[in-house]
Amino acid sequence: MEKITDEDTPTILVVDDNPVITKILEELLIRADYRVVVVAGGEEALESLEVHKVDLILLDVDIPGESGYAVCKTIKKNPNTAYIPVIFVTSRGEREDIVSGFEAGGQDYIVKP
């Protein structure tokens, strides 16, 4: 679901295959006047970046296809998307997971309940 707003409204790409989490994030972000694009997997996320001008990516680690870490690395290697901040929002909260997120190019790492 995408709320239709003007082109200057910041767009956030949410990448998560859990429909409860995506619904919560989508509702919160739309209420805060962001445009929201939701996809379930890494391949969909990369395809979405070819279509949408995205200002921020909220990325889960455990998604269909490649891991969120691999998707983030792909995003950061592409000069057309490398500038987009990536925040990992995931249930993985171990120290090595957090380190992996930053090593992949993430700007922040949030552990979801």
Side-chain angles (χ1 to χ4, degrees):
M1 176 179 169
E2 182 178 345
K3 179 180 175 184
I4 304 302
T5 56
D6 79 48
E7 283 186 28
D8 293 332
T9 301
T11 299
I12 299 177
L13 175 61
V14 176
V15 186
D16 197 314
D17 63 335
N18 182 324
V20 173
I21 296 296
T22 58
K23 187 68 174 168
I24 291 168
L25 288 172
E26 183 179 33
E27 287 180 11
L28 288 171
L29 294 168
I30 287 173
R31 280 191 213 148
D33 293 325
Y34 291 100
R35 180 182 300 165
V36 180
V37 177
V38 177
V39 298
E43 187 175 321
E44 290 174 279
L46 297 173
E47 290 171 1
S48 184
L49 291 173
E50 294 175 11
V51 176
H52 299 281
K53 178 189 168 288
V54 173
D55 299 288
L56 175 68
I57 301 169
L58 301 180
L59 178 60
D60 190 8
V61 172
D62 297 313
I63 52 176
E66 292 187 291
S67 74
Y69 302 133
V71 172
C72 184
K73 287 177 184 177
T74 300
I75 290 166
K76 295 302 176 178
K77 285 180 186 175
N78 181 338
N80 295 322
T81 58
Y83 69 92
I84 303 171
V86 175
I87 299 175
F88 286 98
V89 181
T90 182
S91 59
R92 291 186 175 206
E94 298 298 319
R95 180 176 171 81
E96 59 270 8
D97 297 317
I98 296 168
V99 169
S100 293
F102 285 110
E103 287 176 346
Q107 275 64 41
D108 206 347
Y109 196 100
I110 299 170
V111 179
K112 61 186 173 184

